[in-house]
Amino acid sequence: MIEATCTACGNVNRVSDADIPVGARFVTCVTCKARVAIPTKTGAMAAVLPPGIDAAAPGAAQAAAAALEGLDLADLP
């Protein structure tokens, strides 16, 4: 279930994952029919990145892979 708040009317739209087409970035607000942006998962990605790497920076995925290269499961806290 995805929750997206409409910036026009403030309504919280709850949409099932199965109802959203692949690659969709917007849904239509139920009350005012405005376009509501679907929240991205960059917050979850930022939690996985090592400290000091900005998720919004270009090449963040490559920098994270390079920083995590060579770590074993025994190295994790």
Side-chain angles (χ1 to χ4, degrees), residues 12-26:
V12 176
N13 296 285
R14 290 178 182 87
V15 184
S16 173
D17 294 332
D19 293 337
I20 299 174
V22 175
R25 295 184 182 157
F26 296 95

Side-chain angles (χ1 to χ4, degrees), residues 8 11 15 18 22 25-26 41-42 45 65 69 74:
N11 184 34
V15 184
V22 175
R25 295 184 182 157
F26 296 95
K41 297 181 180 179
T42 56
M45 182 182 158
E69 190 173 313

Side-chain angles (χ1 to χ4, degrees), residues 17-48:
D17 294 332
D19 293 337
I20 299 174
V22 175
R25 295 184 182 157
F26 296 95
V27 293
T28 305
C29 179
V30 178
T31 56
C32 70
K33 306 299 182 209
R35 287 174 52 167
V36 179
I38 298 172
T40 59
K41 297 181 180 179
T42 56
M45 182 182 158
V48 174

Side-chain angles (χ1 to χ4, degrees), residues 44-75:
M45 182 182 158
V48 174
L49 292 177
I53 296 177
D54 184 17
Q62 291 84 7
L68 295 175
E69 190 173 313
L71 285 181
D72 245 354
L73 289 177
D75 296 334

